[in-house]
Amino acid sequence: MSKDKFQKQSDPIKDSSTVSPEHNRRRLLKNTVAIPIIMTLSSSVAAQVARTSNLVTPIENLDVAAKSTNGDLLCVHPGPDGSVDVVNERPVDLGTLPSVTVDSADSADLQASACQREGGILISATAYASLSGKGVLPDSSIL
């Protein structure tokens, strides 16, 4: 072992008050463990997704639309806290208190037109079942 190495090993530990602040900072940064940081998105879209997961896609196909036990189309209206943003002039966020109406017009086309005039949307039976299973929408059997 060289004389310099032996001398370094045998030197007493230096008092931390004599070590420069830069050296202490470097040592701290070198020994620091990375801590994960969770960032919050502030855009309006991210805020909507964070607020609710009641996002739906309006449909045009009346054959797959949600229907009552009588076969009438179920028209879903966004709640007061629903999305202000629209896609193709149709709401996509139902909010936390959506409502459902049933129009008993003679044809499905007339029911769909009435729903759209009232500011509602038609959603698929699968989407309706998913949201009614979470308690967001009423069970279609009671409508």
Side-chain angles (χ1 to χ4, degrees):
M1 184 178 288
S2 73
K3 186 177 180 180
D4 291 334
K5 285 185 180 179
F6 180 75
Q7 191 174 10
K8 284 182 183 178
Q9 287 179 351
S10 62
D11 282 346
I13 298 175
K14 293 182 180 179
D15 183 15
S16 63
S17 63
T18 62
V19 178
S20 70
E22 292 83 16
H23 179 71
N24 283 337
R25 185 171 45 245
R26 272 190 227 113
R27 187 176 57 187
L28 175 67
L29 291 174
K30 196 185 271 188
N31 296 328
T32 302
V33 176
I35 299 172
I37 298 173
I38 299 173
M39 305 284 293
T40 303
L41 299 175
S42 62
S43 71
S44 64
V45 174
Q48 288 174 1
V49 172
R51 183 185 63 207
T52 178
S53 62
N54 301 334
L55 299 175
V56 293
T57 303
I59 62 166
E60 300 288 331
N61 186 347
L62 302 181
D63 294 332
V64 297
K67 297 178 176 82
S68 69
T69 54
N70 298 351
D72 296 325
L73 295 176
L74 299 178
C75 182
V76 180
H77 302 271
D81 62 339
S83 173
V84 178
D85 294 338
V86 293
V87 174
N88 296 331
E89 299 183 1
R90 294 183 173 212
V92 293
D93 182 357
L94 296 178
T96 55
L97 298 169
S99 60
V100 180
T101 59
V102 179
D103 189 333
S104 56
D106 292 336
S107 73
D109 289 330
L110 291 174
Q111 292 173 9
S113 296
C115 178
Q116 192 172 16
R117 270 194 319 273
E118 296 168 0
I121 60 171
L122 299 176
I123 62 174
S124 71
T126 305
Y128 192 93
S130 173
L131 290 172
S132 66
K134 291 194 311 184
V136 176
L137 295 174
D139 187 356
S140 61
S141 65
I142 63 170
L143 297 173

